[in-house]
Amino acid sequence: MKQPRLYGVVGNPVSHSLSPWIHRAFAAQTQKRIVYAAYQPPLDAFEACAQNFFNNGGSGLNVTVPFKPDALALANRASAFARRCGVANVLAKRNDGNIAAYNTDGSGLIKDLQSFFPNGMSDQKILLIGAGGAARAAACAIADAKPAAFCIVNRTFEKAKTLAEVAGCEAVESAPADSTLVINATSAGLAGDTDSVLTSDIKAALQNANLVYDLSYGSSAQPFLTAAKRCGAKQTCDGYGMLLWQAALSYAIWEGTLPTPSLLTYSSFSR
Ligand code: NDP
């Protein structure tokens, strides 16, 4: 019988990752046999860990914080989108032995947003809060979706400016109040520090937004999304759907089959 293909997720920390559960569920859904493991190398040992994985028969890796820039650097090939973002969350060993890097975080976000905007985002005025690793992929994918307006605000303005240049949008020091879609890509919720994101300009933007989306998910997203509702936002959504979609798109790169993320409920994975 053919050996199951070996996949995994690399991060530090990695114990919180839902990727092993998600990918095993995708394998069951698509009737494939895979093995999926989690790896937590020391902060200076990503390359050794990934090379060891691929040299020992591994087929593909998901890569999470803080190794996404290292994943791009390790690959012999990279998609144009991953190169533009400067970060990769997927590595795949190709038949010719090359390791290819991809970024499915941005497309995962857009796929999830499609359930709110089935006809595209050309009429949306979008505000992205944050300019870290996740925001890079989000910003490039949002700019590619060609919304009516798109700007980035970040605690450290210089980082917003750099990202806006890469993505092709505007960096602003103060959030515009007429945003229709506000996306929180900060890590403040993870650190229990949401209040510091809720400056008066952000609150005004939340008040008028039709949809407020937080890239973080589960309990980390709740303080920001609750505040958004309190400010007057019409709808809120956390990043669980994005998480599922980036995983589904990476599974499709590896296995050639796109699973159906909507079949996986958060409660079936959250511990
Ligand atoms: P980074 O550490 O790379 O970036 C953090 C960002 O948050 C920076 O822009 C930082 O601002 C800002 N920030 C942090 N704390 C505060 C604060 N107290 N007040 C204001 N701004 C703050 O993190 P990531 O980009 O990797 O992750 C961001 C979020 O995205 C996380 O919650 C993560 O869980 C989520 N995520 C979700 C994914 C999904 O699939 N749903 C995928 C990847 C990430 P500054 O530049 O000033 O430091």
Side-chain angles (χ1 to χ4, degrees):
M1 193 192 276
K2 223 174 111 184
Q3 289 277 37
R5 296 224 258 192
L6 175 61
Y7 298 106
V9 56
V10 189
N12 186 338
V14 82
S15 60
H16 67 284
S17 175
L18 296 178
S19 292
W21 282 266
I22 293 171
H23 283 280
R24 286 172 202 150
F26 285 161
Q29 200 187 90
T30 57
Q31 298 183 314
K32 303 232 182 184
R33 289 175 69 234
I34 69 162
V35 171
Y36 194 104
Y39 304 93
Q40 182 173 319
L43 294 176
D44 61 354
F46 170 77
E47 187 177 345
C49 173
Q51 292 291 11
N52 187 44
F53 173 85
F54 285 116
N55 290 340
N56 286 289
S59 295
L61 285 174
N62 286 126
V63 182
T64 186
V65 175
F67 299 127
K68 291 183 186 183
D70 307 278
L72 184 66
L74 174 118
N76 321 95
R77 293 180 186 172
S79 70
F81 186 78
R83 277 200 303 270
R84 177 164 153 232
C85 301
V87 282
N89 68 314
V90 184
L91 292 173
K93 185 149 188 180
R94 289 307 178 199
N95 290 338
D96 60 7
N98 280 310
I99 296 173
Y102 304 86
N103 189 307
T104 62
D105 283 333
S107 41
L109 170 65
I110 298 298
K111 278 280 190 191
D112 198 34
L113 287 173
Q114 271 169 5
S115 59
F116 295 95
F117 309 108
N119 299 319
M121 298 202 285
S122 59
D123 57 348
Q124 295 301 309
K125 294 181 174 180
I126 304 179
L127 169 68
L128 179 70
I129 312 169
R136 280 202 233 176
C140 291
I142 292 166
D144 289 351
K146 305 210 178 309
F150 176 32
C151 62
I152 304 173
V153 67
N154 187 48
R155 178 175 62 181
T156 310
F157 179 64
E158 280 308 310
K159 280 166 74 178
K161 247 172 91 176
T162 306
L163 178 55
E165 275 163 28
V166 171
C169 63
E170 195 190 348
V172 291
E173 295 200 63
S174 180
D178 65 346
S179 308
T180 54
L181 167 59
V182 176
I183 301 175
N184 180 22
T186 74
S187 55
L190 279 177
D193 195 16
T194 297
D195 282 353
S196 61
V197 182
L198 296 168
T199 50
S200 56
D201 57 318
I202 299 274
K203 281 186 184 166
L206 295 175
Q207 183 182 351
N208 296 320
N210 292 327
L211 174 64
V212 174
Y213 190 100
D214 196 321
L215 260 54
S216 58
Y217 44 87
S219 55
S220 302
Q222 284 321 306
F224 186 79
L225 297 181
T226 303
K229 280 261 174 187
R230 215 182 298 124
C231 288
K234 291 184 188 61
Q235 263 186 298
T236 60
C237 182
D238 77 1
Y240 178 63
M242 173 184 168
L243 175 79
L244 290 181
W245 269 112
Q246 65 73 29
L249 294 166
S250 54
Y251 187 90
I253 288 169
W254 298 328
E255 287 287 322
T257 308
L258 183 66
T260 309
S262 58
L263 298 180
L264 277 55
T265 58
Y266 185 69
S267 56
S268 57
F269 296 111
S270 51
R271 288 152 288 158

